[in-house]
């Protein structure tokens, strides 16, 4: 396989080899691809987690388990104000 790199990326690969941490350009590219795959898997996992949370939330709404948003934030704001008053005494 042949890979074309921009001059900037080629210089980056050379710099990585020059540090002595990597013995060859191939090793640098293998590590980069391994990290890319790791990141892709993490992103896929996060997306699955978000989808599951959205599905659970929708199921909760369909079951009638909902809270009036305005009332919730009013209550939260009142609690925070009460904490502030207690903290300043």
């Amino acid at each position: 396989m042949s890979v074309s790199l921009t001059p900037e990326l080629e210089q980056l690969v050379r710099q990585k080899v020059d540090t002595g941490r990597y013995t060859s350009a191939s090793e640098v590219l293998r590590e980069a691809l391994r990290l890319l795959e790791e990141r892709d898997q993490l992103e896929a996992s996060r997306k699955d987690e978000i989808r599951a949370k959205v599905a659970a939330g929708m199921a909760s709404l369909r079951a009638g388990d909902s809270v009036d948003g305005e009332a919730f934030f009013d209550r939260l704001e009142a609690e925070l104000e009460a904490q502030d008053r207690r903290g300043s005494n």
Side-chain angles (χ1 to χ4, degrees), residues 19-64:
T19 66
R21 182 171 178 197
Y22 301 94
T23 58
S24 68
S26 293
E27 191 176 343
V28 173
L29 294 176
R30 280 192 297 274
E31 176 72 1
L33 290 171
R34 185 191 65 74
L35 290 170
L36 180 62
E37 180 62 20
E38 192 175 291
R39 186 190 73 185
D40 289 348
Q41 289 175 359
L42 182 60
E43 285 178 7
S45 175
R46 285 181 182 159
K47 286 179 183 177
D48 290 344
E49 184 179 320
I50 290 169
R51 284 186 185 103
K53 287 181 178 182
V54 169
M58 294 303 291
S60 179
L61 282 173
R62 283 192 289 276

Side-chain angles (χ1 to χ4, degrees), residues 5-20:
L5 299 174
T6 64
E8 294 84 7
L9 288 176
E10 191 172 328
Q11 180 61 31
L12 178 60
V13 171
R14 280 195 189 108
Q15 287 173 348
K16 296 294 181 184
V17 172
D18 289 347
T19 66

